């Protein structure tokens, strides 16, 4: 098993450093903690952000665009393979929290 600092995907770069360390899987935002290769399989080790809900509600609910207000990460780790990732996410600071916005070109 080997640990890596970053991994080059087809359309984007993932890393365990900001700004390349956030992804979305099934409408949930995760922070990339580590990238591991084990027996020729790549695993993205992540912690889940606690969702606060929509960032805005007018003129439509931001959750319909996969834009969420998130804060802190949970302590429990989970893992995904690269093909499980729906999109890379940019995290914009907002009032001691973050706005999680999926990058269109990463879908």
């Amino acid at each position: 098993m080997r640990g890596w600092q970053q991994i080059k995907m087809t359309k984007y770069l993932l890393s365990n450093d900001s700004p390349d360390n956030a992804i979305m899987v099934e409408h949930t935002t995760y922070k990339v903690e580590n990238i591991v290769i084990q027996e020729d399989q790549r695993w993205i080790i992540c912690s889940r952000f606690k969702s606060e809900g929509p960032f805005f509600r007018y003129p439509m609910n931001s959750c319909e665009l996969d834009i969420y207000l998130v804060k802190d990460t949970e302590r429990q780790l989970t893992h995904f393979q690269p093909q499980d990732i729906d999109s890379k996410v940019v995290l914009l600071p907002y009032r001691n929290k973050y706005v999680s916005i999926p990058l269109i070109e990463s879908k």
Side-chain angles (χ1 to χ4, degrees):
M1 179 171 25
R2 299 178 302 192
W4 295 89
Q5 298 293 319
Q6 63 184 19
I7 186 170
K8 177 81 168 102
M9 307 295 280
T10 304
K11 297 182 179 180
Y12 55 90
L13 175 76
L14 278 183
S15 168
N16 59 354
D17 289 323
S18 182
D20 298 314
N21 66 338
I23 59 172
M24 186 168 291
V25 177
E26 297 180 359
H27 309 286
T28 302
T29 305
Y30 293 88
K31 178 181 177 186
V32 175
E33 302 290 350
N34 199 358
I35 299 164
V36 176
I37 297 178
Q38 181 179 18
E39 298 177 11
D40 296 328
Q41 291 198 28
R42 300 183 294 178
W43 297 94
I44 314 298
I45 311 301
C46 304
S47 55
R48 188 180 101 146
F49 276 95
K50 298 173 186 171
S51 179
E52 288 284 297
F55 177 57
F56 56 84
R57 297 184 196 279
Y58 182 84
M60 65 187 293
N61 189 316
S62 67
C63 296
E64 293 180 39
L65 302 170
D66 278 335
I67 299 173
Y68 302 95
L69 190 61
V70 298
K71 68 174 186 175
D72 305 326
T73 56
E74 296 178 350
R75 298 183 113 183
Q76 183 176 352
L77 296 176
T78 189
H79 61 279
F80 301 102
Q81 290 192 294
Q83 62 267 24
D84 298 331
I85 299 170
D86 295 325
S87 65
K88 182 176 174 179
V89 171
V90 63
L91 296 172
L92 301 177
Y94 179 77
R95 297 184 182 171
N96 297 324
K97 299 175 186 170
Y98 296 97
V99 179
S100 167
I101 304 172
L103 296 177
I104 294 171
E105 72 270 5
S106 69
K107 288 192 172 197

